[in-house]
């Protein structure tokens, strides 16, 4: 059985101040026809990255609306997650080829995760490439399956897309962050775009007292009397952290005393993260040496 993520509980009442009473009532009205509908969100990791952050807010709110929503994560070894990371990069246009061994690893784990998904749902939302192949190895039944793609696949590496495209057969719809991210030869299905949202009541986003904020910044080495540039993201080459450091180096010549903070975290499904982190540290050291 696939692991279910424990997400606790939340109430829409907590959002009345930030969203307004009318928005809350509209959500409850729209949710009434879905009362007791069984919905599954399927992803690769319970924390780290935008998908986990979105689901940690969305799933408990769906439950508060009366929807029987679950969030489960797939299982995989290091070889699988290295293969899916290459697929993730290839779909965004990275060069290279997906080896036969990597293809076999992906499909073997897709089959295994399909066997572990024992429950049935009215709707299954599959997030990003890692769990995409599961539908190929299980009966769809009366449920509907949606691929929620959180990356830009408008110009994928042809070899990677040739492997992944057949995995979409049988899906009822695909949802992208914006229309420009949709590949031209997506299999025939409904396509929608939904921009990601920020949860104003998440602990990450709630306001801090000035004293607390200042103490945290001082603790990590930020000098409050100097200008500061910040990038908040995963340690991922597609976030271009080395480009941020290069831009900072140029800006520093125009803004004396400028500071740079690259703030991020690691995701369980991203073995490349520590490699990028090491590259960032090396580039930062070289930048500091050059600046004297």
């Amino acid at each position: 059985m696939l692991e279910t993520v424990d997400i606790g509980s939340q109430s829409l009442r907590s959002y009345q101040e930030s969203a307004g009473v009318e928005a809350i009532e509209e959500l409850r009205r729209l949710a009434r026809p879905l009362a007791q509908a069984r919905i599954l969100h399927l992803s690769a990791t319970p924390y780290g990255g935008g998908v986990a952050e979105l689901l940690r807010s969305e799933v408990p709110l769906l439950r508060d609306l009366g929807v029987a929503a679950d969030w489960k994560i797939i299982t995989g070894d290091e070889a699988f997650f290295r293969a899916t990371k290459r697929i993730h990069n290839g779909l965004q246009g990275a060069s290279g080829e997906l080896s036969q061994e990597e293809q076999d690893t992906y499909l073997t784990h897709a089959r295994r995760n399909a066997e572990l998904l024992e429950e049935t749902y009215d709707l299954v939302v599959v997030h990003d490439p890692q769990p995409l192949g599961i539908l190929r190895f299980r009966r769809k039944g009366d449920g509907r399956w949606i691929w929620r793609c959180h990356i830009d696949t408008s110009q994928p590496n042809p070899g990677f897309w040739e492997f992944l495209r057949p995995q979409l057969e049988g899906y009822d719809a695909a949802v992208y962050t914006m229309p420009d991210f949709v590949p031209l030869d997506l299999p025939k299905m409904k396509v929608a775009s939904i921009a990601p949202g920020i949860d104003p009541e998440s602990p990450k986003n709630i306001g801090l007292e000035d004293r607390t904020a200042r103490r945290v910044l001082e603790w990590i080495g930020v000098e409050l009397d100097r200008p500061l540039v910040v990038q908040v993201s995963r340690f991922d080459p597609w976030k271009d952290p080395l480009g941020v450091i290069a831009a900072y180096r140029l800006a520093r010549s125009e803004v004396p005393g400028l500071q740079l903070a690259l703030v991020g975290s690691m995701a369980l499904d991203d073995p490349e993260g520590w490699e990028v982190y090491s590259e960032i540290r090396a580039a930062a050291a070289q930048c500091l040496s050059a600046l004297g």
Side-chain angles (χ1 to χ4, degrees), residues 78-88 98 101-103 105-106 160 271:
E78 182 179 354
F80 171 71
F81 286 119
R82 285 200 172 275
T84 57
K85 182 61 178 181
R86 293 205 65 228
I87 292 172
H88 192 276
L98 194 65
E101 182 180 0
E102 289 171 324
Q103 295 179 40
T105 295
Y106 181 88
F160 285 82

Side-chain angles (χ1 to χ4, degrees), residues 61-101:
L61 291 178
L62 285 172
R63 290 180 177 178
D64 190 57
L65 286 167
V67 178
D70 288 333
W71 173 16
K72 293 181 180 291
I73 56 173
I74 60 173
T75 183
D77 57 17
E78 182 179 354
F80 171 71
F81 286 119
R82 285 200 172 275
T84 57
K85 182 61 178 181
R86 293 205 65 228
I87 292 172
H88 192 276
N89 291 338
L91 290 179
Q92 296 178 93
S95 60
E97 296 182 357
L98 194 65
S99 70
Q100 187 62 52
E101 182 180 0

Side-chain angles (χ1 to χ4, degrees), residues 78-238:
E78 182 179 354
F80 171 71
F81 286 119
R82 285 200 172 275
T84 57
K85 182 61 178 181
R86 293 205 65 228
I87 292 172
H88 192 276
N89 291 338
L91 290 179
Q92 296 178 93
S95 60
E97 296 182 357
L98 194 65
S99 70
Q100 187 62 52
E101 182 180 0
E102 289 171 324
Q103 295 179 40
D104 292 343
T105 295
Y106 181 88
L107 295 176
T108 297
H109 282 78
R111 183 189 297 274
R112 174 58 177 156
N113 281 294
E115 294 170 351
L116 292 173
L117 180 55
E118 300 174 351
E119 303 91 335
T120 58
Y121 290 87
D122 301 304
L123 176 65
V124 178
V125 184
V126 175
H127 293 265
D128 276 341
Q130 298 94 325
L132 180 62
I134 289 178
L135 180 56
R136 181 174 177 177
F137 297 102
R138 63 171 284 125
R139 292 183 178 179
K140 185 177 178 182
D142 295 329
R144 298 291 184 265
W145 285 61
I146 295 175
W147 187 38
R148 177 61 170 100
C149 182
H150 297 269
I151 57 179
D152 180 357
T153 63
S154 58
Q155 295 181 312
N157 177 312
F160 285 82
W161 180 237
E162 182 181 358
F163 169 72
L164 203 72
R165 188 180 184 277
Q167 315 305 323
L168 279 163
E169 297 296 336
Y171 278 80
D172 298 281
V175 177
Y176 284 82
T177 299
M178 56 190 300
D180 290 347
F181 286 1
V182 182
L184 294 177
D185 60 340
L186 188 73
K188 188 176 181 180
M189 64 179 70
K190 294 181 179 179
V191 180
S193 60
I194 300 176
I198 293 175
D199 182 351
E201 301 301 325
S202 166
K204 177 180 177 179
N205 298 321
I206 59 176
L208 296 175
E209 294 183 358
D210 286 350
R211 179 176 178 276
T212 302
R214 289 176 177 274
R215 184 68 190 94
V216 170
L217 290 172
E218 291 171 346
W219 182 64
I220 63 175
V222 174
E223 298 182 22
L224 301 179
D225 58 348
R226 293 169 53 194
L228 174 67
V229 173
V230 180
Q231 182 189 48
V232 181
S233 72
R234 287 189 299 112
F235 296 126
D236 185 313
W238 298 98

